Amino acid sequence: MKEKRMMHSFPWTPPHLKKGRFGFPLANRVDDRKVLFRVTSRDLDMGRELYFVNDSEETLPRVSAEDGGFTSWDEGVISAWTEAGKGYHYRDVRPGEAVKVAEFDDYYDLDYVLAVAVTLTSPSRGTLTLSTPLEKGGVRECVLLYDSGEVGKGCSLSRESDCTD
């Protein structure tokens, strides 16, 4: 799994909070919560790469990610998870930096229900594991954590240790 880093490649555009008639956004109603961590994807020829974006104001000493999920067939389920110790591992992920945390194939992964778990160490928040929601073919984009401590829709958070200050 080849690691990749990019600076300021995925600018954040807050979504509209509510939709009016016929699905059009209501004027001046954007989500103004501060996003700390999120994932977003970049399309490739036959798939896409998923990136973890550090929108916080601190350098993260450690970021690692594992992906997995399942597919069902007839009367059974096939599980597919990254082997322990494999996956993506990064040190010193700077503010505004995006790091690759998964890669999805548009043919082979289409029938799988997939999620990504990102474990990070933050000087002010401690060690956290943030998981994306399970989605068929893998998640394309979601907010993992806001500065208020709220997790994004369908995401989960587990705290492994308190802050390191």
Side-chain angles (χ1 to χ4, degrees):
M1 297 186 188
K2 187 171 182 197
E3 296 172 354
K4 242 187 218 185
R5 294 174 175 251
M6 294 187 219
M7 284 299 293
H8 306 291
S9 297
F10 301 101
W12 172 247
T13 304
H16 289 278
L17 285 176
K18 294 187 179 183
K19 305 236 184 226
R21 284 185 74 169
F22 309 110
F24 294 109
L26 296 174
N28 301 324
R29 297 283 300 164
V30 296
D31 188 346
D32 59 356
R33 294 178 289 181
K34 167 95 172 86
V35 173
L36 295 179
F37 311 119
R38 61 189 169 97
V39 292
T40 191
S41 57
R42 186 177 88 168
D43 290 333
L44 302 172
D45 288 337
M46 288 299 297
R48 62 193 156 80
E49 296 174 324
L50 188 70
Y51 288 85
F52 166 82
V53 182
N54 178 9
D55 284 323
S56 74
E57 296 176 2
E58 59 187 14
T59 297
L60 304 174
R62 182 179 69 92
V63 173
S64 61
E66 296 177 355
D67 63 276
F70 66 90
T71 189
S72 60
W73 55 276
D74 295 334
E75 296 174 16
V77 173
I78 299 173
S79 178
W81 292 95
T82 305
E83 292 180 42
K86 304 288 185 193
Y88 294 88
H89 306 279
Y90 298 93
R91 296 238 179 250
D92 302 320
V93 177
R94 298 172 294 176
E97 189 170 16
V99 294
K100 181 177 166 183
V101 293
E103 191 169 317
F104 301 113
D105 184 283
D106 283 345
Y107 182 76
Y108 293 106
D109 293 335
L110 199 55
D111 290 332
Y112 279 83
V113 178
L114 301 166
V116 175
V118 177
T119 301
L120 61 91
T121 302
S122 159
S124 64
R125 290 170 187 82
T127 301
L128 312 172
T129 298
L130 297 154
S131 298
T132 68
L134 284 162
E135 286 190 26
K136 192 166 185 179
V139 68
R140 289 197 168 276
E141 179 173 69
C142 73
V143 172
L144 295 170
L145 187 66
Y146 294 96
D147 68 342
S148 62
E150 295 172 86
V151 294
K153 184 178 179 181
C155 296
S156 64
L157 163 70
S158 63
R159 188 172 309 275
E160 296 181 19
S161 70
D162 292 329
C163 65
T164 57
D165 285 348

